[in-house]
Amino acid sequence: GNSVTQMEGPVTLSEEAFLTINCTYTATGYPSLFWYVQYPGEGLQLLLKATKADDKGSNKGFEATYRKETTSFHLEKGSVQVSDSAVYFCALKKVTGGGNKLTFGTGTQLKVEL
Amino acid sequence: EPEVTQTPSHQVTQMGQEVILRCVPISNHLYFYWYRQILGQKVEFLVSFYNNEISEKSEIFDDQFSVERPDGSNFTLKIRSTKLEDSAMYFCASSESSGTYEQYFGPGTRLTVT
């Protein structure tokens, strides 16, 4: 079946450091790929998405490229801020008969310190 | 900005009791979902709902679970006889349509079964 594997956290970085959170997936066909972020006390928010191979999703300085050859969708940011501290979830979706379920990874907690 | 709301934020119940978790999806959305996350584990899909019927459900969503849209604004998840292993964070989500449309998540209800 479909699955998503993320690097384990917590990841602790200093402000302005470079961020990479690894995500790989297993799926048949061509899933859409997503990164969701959860700030403390809030729901999951879509951060970015990519719907086909070689697409790059980007938002708020975060980027991720859909790499079909390595089945990866790693999240990157060039310079993190304290306000980026949150839990980041990688997810995939395959549309199957109208279900549209998301398959998530375990989430990676990011802590950014001054 | 419209948002998905969930009540209560935390529910404590005894094993064997029935619980109802409530969600108010975004008003013009047509697809509704429940997910859950057991502490330290992945966010897991439970069920999707469209046009007043279940469109997809996971193996987790057995006869102990049911969903309902009782009044055109609320979307509920009922667990008939709770077990210890039902303790988790339950997330409601909604989307305007299927396919690559974003799923908007609520902040979650933490269910603790004692």
PDB file of all heavy atoms in Angstrom, chain A residues 59-83:
ATOM      1  N   ASN A  59       6.389  27.952  -0.738  1.00  0.00           N
ATOM      2  CA  ASN A  59       5.522  28.833   0.038  1.00  0.00           C
ATOM      3  C   ASN A  59       6.296  29.306   1.262  1.00  0.00           C
ATOM      4  O   ASN A  59       6.981  28.501   1.914  1.00  0.00           O
ATOM      5  CB  ASN A  59       4.260  28.086   0.484  1.00  0.00           C
ATOM      6  CG  ASN A  59       3.267  28.989   1.180  1.00  0.00           C
ATOM      7  OD1 ASN A  59       3.251  30.196   0.972  1.00  0.00           O
ATOM      8  ND2 ASN A  59       2.417  28.405   2.000  1.00  0.00           N
ATOM      9  N   LYS A  60       6.218  30.568   1.579  1.00  0.00           N
ATOM     10  CA  LYS A  60       6.834  31.151   2.779  1.00  0.00           C
ATOM     11  C   LYS A  60       8.317  30.828   2.887  1.00  0.00           C
ATOM     12  O   LYS A  60       8.846  30.655   3.988  1.00  0.00           O
ATOM     13  CB  LYS A  60       6.120  30.636   4.040  1.00  0.00           C
ATOM     14  CG  LYS A  60       4.647  30.987   4.110  1.00  0.00           C
ATOM     15  CD  LYS A  60       4.026  30.454   5.403  1.00  0.00           C
ATOM     16  CE  LYS A  60       2.557  30.754   5.452  1.00  0.00           C
ATOM     17  NZ  LYS A  60       1.921  30.217   6.678  1.00  0.00           N
ATOM     18  N   GLY A  61       9.017  30.700   1.773  1.00  0.00           N
ATOM     19  CA  GLY A  61      10.436  30.407   1.782  1.00  0.00           C
ATOM     20  C   GLY A  61      10.766  28.922   1.807  1.00  0.00           C
ATOM     21  O   GLY A  61      11.921  28.537   1.671  1.00  0.00           O
ATOM     22  N   PHE A  62       9.763  28.092   1.991  1.00  0.00           N
ATOM     23  CA  PHE A  62       9.945  26.644   1.955  1.00  0.00           C
ATOM     24  C   PHE A  62       9.798  26.142   0.519  1.00  0.00           C
ATOM     25  O   PHE A  62       9.006  26.674  -0.246  1.00  0.00           O
ATOM     26  CB  PHE A  62       8.903  25.942   2.830  1.00  0.00           C
ATOM     27  CG  PHE A  62       9.076  26.154   4.305  1.00  0.00           C
ATOM     28  CD1 PHE A  62       8.472  27.241   4.928  1.00  0.00           C
ATOM     29  CD2 PHE A  62       9.830  25.276   5.060  1.00  0.00           C
ATOM     30  CE1 PHE A  62       8.620  27.439   6.300  1.00  0.00           C
ATOM     31  CE2 PHE A  62       9.975  25.472   6.427  1.00  0.00           C
ATOM     32  CZ  PHE A  62       9.383  26.554   7.033  1.00  0.00           C
ATOM     33  N   GLU A  63      10.564  25.088   0.193  1.00  0.00           N
ATOM     34  CA  GLU A  63      10.477  24.481  -1.125  1.00  0.00           C
ATOM     35  C   GLU A  63      10.564  22.971  -1.004  1.00  0.00           C
ATOM     36  O   GLU A  63      11.201  22.458  -0.070  1.00  0.00           O
ATOM     37  CB  GLU A  63      11.649  24.937  -2.022  1.00  0.00           C
ATOM     38  CG  GLU A  63      11.656  26.370  -2.391  1.00  0.00           C
ATOM     39  CD  GLU A  63      12.817  26.695  -3.323  1.00  0.00           C
ATOM     40  OE1 GLU A  63      13.783  25.912  -3.374  1.00  0.00           O
ATOM     41  OE2 GLU A  63      12.748  27.737  -3.993  1.00  0.00           O
ATOM     42  N   ALA A  64       9.950  22.283  -1.967  1.00  0.00           N
ATOM     43  CA  ALA A  64      10.125  20.833  -2.061  1.00  0.00           C
ATOM     44  C   ALA A  64       9.913  20.451  -3.514  1.00  0.00           C
ATOM     45  O   ALA A  64       9.000  20.969  -4.174  1.00  0.00           O
ATOM     46  CB  ALA A  64       9.130  20.094  -1.164  1.00  0.00           C
ATOM     47  N   THR A  65      10.744  19.538  -4.021  1.00  0.00           N
ATOM     48  CA  THR A  65      10.658  19.113  -5.413  1.00  0.00           C
ATOM     49  C   THR A  65      10.254  17.653  -5.472  1.00  0.00           C
ATOM     50  O   THR A  65      10.832  16.807  -4.775  1.00  0.00           O
ATOM     51  CB  THR A  65      11.998  19.320  -6.135  1.00  0.00           C
ATOM     52  OG1 THR A  65      12.347  20.702  -6.064  1.00  0.00           O
ATOM     53  CG2 THR A  65      11.902  18.884  -7.586  1.00  0.00           C
ATOM     54  N   TYR A  66       9.289  17.355  -6.289  1.00  0.00           N
ATOM     55  CA  TYR A  66       8.766  16.005  -6.490  1.00  0.00           C
ATOM     56  C   TYR A  66       9.775  15.241  -7.341  1.00  0.00           C
ATOM     57  O   TYR A  66       9.916  15.482  -8.533  1.00  0.00           O
ATOM     58  CB  TYR A  66       7.431  16.137  -7.222  1.00  0.00           C
ATOM     59  CG  TYR A  66       6.575  14.906  -7.379  1.00  0.00           C
ATOM     60  CD1 TYR A  66       5.205  15.017  -7.212  1.00  0.00           C
ATOM     61  CD2 TYR A  66       7.079  13.673  -7.747  1.00  0.00           C
ATOM     62  CE1 TYR A  66       4.360  13.933  -7.398  1.00  0.00           C
ATOM     63  CE2 TYR A  66       6.255  12.586  -7.913  1.00  0.00           C
ATOM     64  CZ  TYR A  66       4.892  12.718  -7.753  1.00  0.00           C
ATOM     65  OH  TYR A  66       4.058  11.640  -7.924  1.00  0.00           O
ATOM     66  N   ARG A  67      10.467  14.299  -6.714  1.00  0.00           N
ATOM     67  CA  ARG A  67      11.495  13.511  -7.417  1.00  0.00           C
ATOM     68  C   ARG A  67      11.002  12.080  -7.550  1.00  0.00           C
ATOM     69  O   ARG A  67      11.046  11.303  -6.586  1.00  0.00           O
ATOM     70  CB  ARG A  67      12.807  13.509  -6.628  1.00  0.00           C
ATOM     71  CG  ARG A  67      13.384  14.886  -6.373  1.00  0.00           C
ATOM     72  CD  ARG A  67      14.126  15.394  -7.550  1.00  0.00           C
ATOM     73  NE  ARG A  67      14.858  16.635  -7.242  1.00  0.00           N
ATOM     74  CZ  ARG A  67      15.149  17.550  -8.136  1.00  0.00           C
ATOM     75  NH1 ARG A  67      14.774  17.397  -9.407  1.00  0.00           N
ATOM     76  NH2 ARG A  67      15.825  18.629  -7.773  1.00  0.00           N
ATOM     77  N   LYS A  68      10.549  11.740  -8.746  1.00  0.00           N
ATOM     78  CA  LYS A  68       9.996  10.398  -8.940  1.00  0.00           C
ATOM     79  C   LYS A  68      11.107   9.340  -8.948  1.00  0.00           C
ATOM     80  O   LYS A  68      10.920   8.234  -8.471  1.00  0.00           O
ATOM     81  CB  LYS A  68       9.198  10.333 -10.238  1.00  0.00           C
ATOM     82  CG  LYS A  68       8.450   9.015 -10.385  1.00  0.00           C
ATOM     83  CD  LYS A  68       7.242   9.132 -11.254  1.00  0.00           C
ATOM     84  CE  LYS A  68       6.541   7.793 -11.367  1.00  0.00           C
ATOM     85  NZ  LYS A  68       5.964   7.393 -10.080  1.00  0.00           N
ATOM     86  N   GLU A  69      12.288   9.722  -9.455  1.00  0.00           N
ATOM     87  CA  GLU A  69      13.350   8.724  -9.569  1.00  0.00           C
ATOM     88  C   GLU A  69      13.860   8.270  -8.205  1.00  0.00           C
ATOM     89  O   GLU A  69      14.305   7.131  -8.050  1.00  0.00           O
ATOM     90  CB  GLU A  69      14.508   9.274 -10.419  1.00  0.00           C
ATOM     91  CG  GLU A  69      15.226  10.477  -9.854  1.00  0.00           C
ATOM     92  CD  GLU A  69      14.544  11.804 -10.158  1.00  0.00           C
ATOM     93  OE1 GLU A  69      13.375  11.798 -10.620  1.00  0.00           O
ATOM     94  OE2 GLU A  69      15.174  12.843  -9.929  1.00  0.00           O
ATOM     95  N   THR A  70      13.769   9.164  -7.218  1.00  0.00           N
ATOM     96  CA  THR A  70      14.198   8.799  -5.858  1.00  0.00           C
ATOM     97  C   THR A  70      13.006   8.690  -4.913  1.00  0.00           C
ATOM     98  O   THR A  70      13.191   8.477  -3.712  1.00  0.00           O
ATOM     99  CB  THR A  70      15.175   9.842  -5.292  1.00  0.00           C
ATOM    100  OG1 THR A  70      14.583  11.143  -5.377  1.00  0.00           O
ATOM    101  CG2 THR A  70      16.493   9.814  -6.048  1.00  0.00           C
ATOM    102  N   THR A  71      11.806   8.787  -5.428  1.00  0.00           N
ATOM    103  CA  THR A  71      10.552   8.790  -4.647  1.00  0.00           C
ATOM    104  C   THR A  71      10.692   9.656  -3.399  1.00  0.00           C
ATOM    105  O   THR A  71      10.443   9.216  -2.263  1.00  0.00           O
ATOM    106  CB  THR A  71      10.079   7.366  -4.284  1.00  0.00           C
ATOM    107  OG1 THR A  71      11.065   6.714  -3.468  1.00  0.00           O
ATOM    108  CG2 THR A  71       9.818   6.557  -5.531  1.00  0.00           C
ATOM    109  N   SER A  72      11.094  10.899  -3.616  1.00  0.00           N
ATOM    110  CA  SER A  72      11.337  11.786  -2.488  1.00  0.00           C
ATOM    111  C   SER A  72      10.650  13.127  -2.675  1.00  0.00           C
ATOM    112  O   SER A  72      10.313  13.531  -3.805  1.00  0.00           O
ATOM    113  CB  SER A  72      12.841  11.997  -2.289  1.00  0.00           C
ATOM    114  OG  SER A  72      13.394  12.670  -3.390  1.00  0.00           O
ATOM    115  N   PHE A  73      10.471  13.820  -1.560  1.00  0.00           N
ATOM    116  CA  PHE A  73       9.839  15.146  -1.562  1.00  0.00           C
ATOM    117  C   PHE A  73      10.385  15.884  -0.343  1.00  0.00           C
ATOM    118  O   PHE A  73       9.664  16.229   0.584  1.00  0.00           O
ATOM    119  CB  PHE A  73       8.321  14.990  -1.513  1.00  0.00           C
ATOM    120  CG  PHE A  73       7.538  16.245  -1.811  1.00  0.00           C
ATOM    121  CD1 PHE A  73       7.732  16.960  -2.985  1.00  0.00           C
ATOM    122  CD2 PHE A  73       6.560  16.691  -0.934  1.00  0.00           C
ATOM    123  CE1 PHE A  73       7.008  18.092  -3.275  1.00  0.00           C
ATOM    124  CE2 PHE A  73       5.812  17.834  -1.209  1.00  0.00           C
ATOM    125  CZ  PHE A  73       6.040  18.534  -2.387  1.00  0.00           C
ATOM    126  N   HIS A  74      11.662  16.148  -0.348  1.00  0.00           N
ATOM    127  CA  HIS A  74      12.334  16.737   0.812  1.00  0.00           C
ATOM    128  C   HIS A  74      11.981  18.210   0.962  1.00  0.00           C
ATOM    129  O   HIS A  74      11.990  18.963  -0.020  1.00  0.00           O
ATOM    130  CB  HIS A  74      13.853  16.605   0.688  1.00  0.00           C
ATOM    131  CG  HIS A  74      14.333  15.194   0.499  1.00  0.00           C
ATOM    132  ND1 HIS A  74      13.775  14.119   1.154  1.00  0.00           N
ATOM    133  CD2 HIS A  74      15.308  14.691  -0.297  1.00  0.00           C
ATOM    134  CE1 HIS A  74      14.397  13.007   0.795  1.00  0.00           C
ATOM    135  NE2 HIS A  74      15.329  13.325  -0.090  1.00  0.00           N
ATOM    136  N   LEU A  75      11.748  18.619   2.189  1.00  0.00           N
ATOM    137  CA  LEU A  75      11.402  20.016   2.480  1.00  0.00           C
ATOM    138  C   LEU A  75      12.667  20.795   2.818  1.00  0.00           C
ATOM    139  O   LEU A  75      13.488  20.323   3.619  1.00  0.00           O
ATOM    140  CB  LEU A  75      10.430  20.080   3.661  1.00  0.00           C
ATOM    141  CG  LEU A  75       9.933  21.470   4.052  1.00  0.00           C
ATOM    142  CD1 LEU A  75       9.019  22.035   2.968  1.00  0.00           C
ATOM    143  CD2 LEU A  75       9.197  21.412   5.386  1.00  0.00           C
ATOM    144  N   GLU A  76      12.819  21.974   2.226  1.00  0.00           N
ATOM    145  CA  GLU A  76      14.009  22.794   2.469  1.00  0.00           C
ATOM    146  C   GLU A  76      13.612  24.243   2.696  1.00  0.00           C
ATOM    147  O   GLU A  76      12.606  24.728   2.176  1.00  0.00           O
ATOM    148  CB  GLU A  76      14.962  22.726   1.260  1.00  0.00           C
ATOM    149  CG  GLU A  76      15.535  21.355   1.003  1.00  0.00           C
ATOM    150  CD  GLU A  76      16.499  21.337  -0.158  1.00  0.00           C
ATOM    151  OE1 GLU A  76      16.392  22.219  -1.034  1.00  0.00           O
ATOM    152  OE2 GLU A  76      17.348  20.440  -0.204  1.00  0.00           O
ATOM    153  N   LYS A  77      14.445  24.905   3.496  1.00  0.00           N
ATOM    154  CA  LYS A  77      14.327  26.356   3.663  1.00  0.00           C
ATOM    155  C   LYS A  77      15.718  26.899   3.908  1.00  0.00           C
ATOM    156  O   LYS A  77      16.467  26.352   4.716  1.00  0.00           O
ATOM    157  CB  LYS A  77      13.395  26.731   4.808  1.00  0.00           C
ATOM    158  CG  LYS A  77      13.143  28.242   4.878  1.00  0.00           C
ATOM    159  CD  LYS A  77      12.128  28.629   5.928  1.00  0.00           C
ATOM    160  CE  LYS A  77      11.832  30.126   5.840  1.00  0.00           C
ATOM    161  NZ  LYS A  77      10.896  30.610   6.871  1.00  0.00           N
ATOM    162  N   GLY A  78      16.028  27.974   3.242  1.00  0.00           N
ATOM    163  CA  GLY A  78      17.386  28.497   3.292  1.00  0.00           C
ATOM    164  C   GLY A  78      17.758  29.141   4.612  1.00  0.00           C
ATOM    165  O   GLY A  78      18.915  29.091   5.029  1.00  0.00           O
ATOM    166  N   SER A  79      16.775  29.735   5.306  1.00  0.00           N
ATOM    167  CA  SER A  79      17.093  30.476   6.516  1.00  0.00           C
ATOM    168  C   SER A  79      15.870  30.429   7.437  1.00  0.00           C
ATOM    169  O   SER A  79      14.889  31.126   7.186  1.00  0.00           O
ATOM    170  CB  SER A  79      17.456  31.921   6.173  1.00  0.00           C
ATOM    171  OG  SER A  79      17.656  32.693   7.337  1.00  0.00           O
ATOM    172  N   VAL A  80      15.935  29.580   8.439  1.00  0.00           N
ATOM    173  CA  VAL A  80      14.750  29.396   9.289  1.00  0.00           C
ATOM    174  C   VAL A  80      14.663  30.500  10.347  1.00  0.00           C
ATOM    175  O   VAL A  80      15.674  31.105  10.730  1.00  0.00           O
ATOM    176  CB  VAL A  80      14.753  28.014   9.980  1.00  0.00           C
ATOM    177  CG1 VAL A  80      14.607  26.916   8.955  1.00  0.00           C
ATOM    178  CG2 VAL A  80      16.012  27.805  10.829  1.00  0.00           C
ATOM    179  N   GLN A  81      13.440  30.720  10.804  1.00  0.00           N
ATOM    180  CA  GLN A  81      13.158  31.705  11.845  1.00  0.00           C
ATOM    181  C   GLN A  81      12.522  30.990  13.045  1.00  0.00           C
ATOM    182  O   GLN A  81      11.978  29.884  12.899  1.00  0.00           O
ATOM    183  CB  GLN A  81      12.202  32.765  11.315  1.00  0.00           C
ATOM    184  CG  GLN A  81      12.664  33.438  10.035  1.00  0.00           C
ATOM    185  CD  GLN A  81      13.986  34.156  10.221  1.00  0.00           C
ATOM    186  OE1 GLN A  81      14.149  34.915  11.175  1.00  0.00           O
ATOM    187  NE2 GLN A  81      14.938  33.914   9.321  1.00  0.00           N
ATOM    188  N   VAL A  82      12.567  31.661  14.182  1.00  0.00           N
ATOM    189  CA  VAL A  82      11.943  31.084  15.382  1.00  0.00           C
ATOM    190  C   VAL A  82      10.478  30.764  15.116  1.00  0.00           C
ATOM    191  O   VAL A  82       9.949  29.740  15.586  1.00  0.00           O
ATOM    192  CB  VAL A  82      12.096  32.038  16.581  1.00  0.00           C
ATOM    193  CG1 VAL A  82      11.285  31.549  17.771  1.00  0.00           C
ATOM    194  CG2 VAL A  82      13.571  32.179  16.961  1.00  0.00           C
ATOM    195  N   SER A  83       9.824  31.592  14.319  1.00  0.00           N
ATOM    196  CA  SER A  83       8.398  31.398  14.025  1.00  0.00           C
ATOM    197  C   SER A  83       8.122  30.159  13.171  1.00  0.00           C
ATOM    198  O   SER A  83       6.958  29.767  13.007  1.00  0.00           O
ATOM    199  CB  SER A  83       7.834  32.631  13.315  1.00  0.00           C
ATOM    200  OG  SER A  83       8.577  32.893  12.146  1.00  0.00           O
TER     201      SER A  83
END
